Amino acid sequence: MAITDKDGNILSTTQVLEKVWIRIKTIHLELVTGLLWWLVGYVPSHSFRRFFYRLAGMKIGKKSTIHMGARVYYPHGIEIGEGSLIGEKATLDGRKQLKNSKGGLKIGNHVDIASEVMLWTSQHDIQSANMATIEEKVEIGDYVFIGPRSIIMPGVKIGQGAVVAGGSVVTKDVAAMQIVAGVPAKIIGERNVKDLHYKLGRPRLFQ
């Protein structure tokens, strides 16, 4: 009996095995995401969460902290520099599972990411006949500030010292020191300070 995909196309043995492998990886990703979210993300201890995020494959620099309730996808694809703070209920998407994927998430040093910010590296290709998935790397430079409930879309690069106002949806690259806001985000100004060397304050305890 022939095996078909969801569209009714007959699959070869190689295609069947490939789909089985993809399904296994997907289930594994969902399991890890669930465990990190429910069993790790809501424990009110920065040291505890850091330990298990690193154990799961995430690279986290010294004195960087992820506050409670983070939604983490594919921790192996996430790299965070030193002294960066990530607010509660943030979404960190490190997915780079597809063949020839360009996904992954890189956050620099002394980056301030506010509460409920979403950093996405995976999305659907709306021009594709089967809504194929695309994975594109997101890079956040040093000393960037991203305001609460902002959304950073796949493939975006945010340059050093840039500021993203709260509630913005960033669909294009942001140059160093630019200030952007809106949906979609547009340039509204530029930071006057040029010599960035500050360190962020301590993370909130028990959060």
Side-chain angles (χ1 to χ4, degrees):
M1 182 178 177
I3 298 177
T4 60
D5 62 14
K6 61 183 180 181
D7 298 315
N9 299 312
I10 297 175
L11 300 175
S12 67
T13 302
T14 300
Q15 289 173 319
V16 170
L17 292 175
E18 184 175 339
K19 282 188 172 292
V20 169
W21 177 240
I22 291 173
R23 179 60 59 86
I24 291 172
K25 290 198 299 181
T26 301
I27 293 172
H28 175 262
L29 173 62
E30 292 169 352
L31 176 62
V32 171
T33 297
L35 291 174
L36 290 179
W37 190 25
W38 289 109
L39 298 184
V40 176
Y42 283 97
V43 175
S45 166
H46 296 295
S47 297
F48 177 93
R49 293 195 302 273
R50 250 193 315 263
F51 173 81
F52 281 99
Y53 287 142
R54 285 170 173 159
L55 188 65
M58 193 185 303
K59 296 180 177 66
I60 306 176
K62 294 179 180 178
K63 298 184 178 180
S64 285
T65 295
I66 301 171
H67 284 84
M68 289 174 63
R71 186 80 174 190
V72 177
Y73 296 89
Y74 201 73
H76 284 275
I78 300 172
E79 180 180 347
I80 302 171
E82 297 184 2
S84 293
L85 296 179
I86 297 172
E88 65 265 28
K89 297 182 180 179
T91 298
L92 306 178
D93 184 2
R95 283 177 285 188
K96 51 178 184 179
Q97 293 186 296
L98 299 176
K99 190 180 295 184
N100 302 318
S101 173
K102 297 179 181 178
L105 172 61
K106 183 176 182 180
I107 298 171
N109 303 315
H110 311 294
V111 174
D112 189 353
I113 296 177
S115 302
E116 299 184 46
V117 168
M118 296 183 178
L119 306 174
W120 293 110
T121 65
S122 181
Q123 65 180 340
H124 290 289
D125 180 0
I126 61 173
Q127 304 300 340
S128 167
N130 62 351
M131 287 288 281
T133 302
I134 304 171
E135 293 175 345
E136 297 179 286
K137 188 172 186 176
V138 168
E139 296 185 55
I140 311 296
D142 299 342
Y143 298 103
V144 166
F145 171 72
I146 302 178
R149 294 193 173 182
S150 293
I151 300 174
I152 312 301
M153 297 302 290
V156 167
K157 294 182 180 180
I158 300 181
Q160 177 175 308
V163 173
V164 177
S168 300
V169 178
V170 184
T171 60
K172 297 180 180 179
D173 291 354
V174 179
M177 307 306 258
Q178 284 184 346
I179 303 172
V180 300
V183 183
K186 297 181 180 180
I187 301 169
I188 61 169
E190 187 171 327
R191 292 179 77 174
N192 294 322
V193 59
K194 301 301 179 185
D195 183 19
L196 300 176
H197 58 272
Y198 57 82
K199 294 182 180 179
L200 301 171
R202 66 172 179 80
R204 295 184 300 276
L205 296 175
F206 315 114
Q207 292 186 38

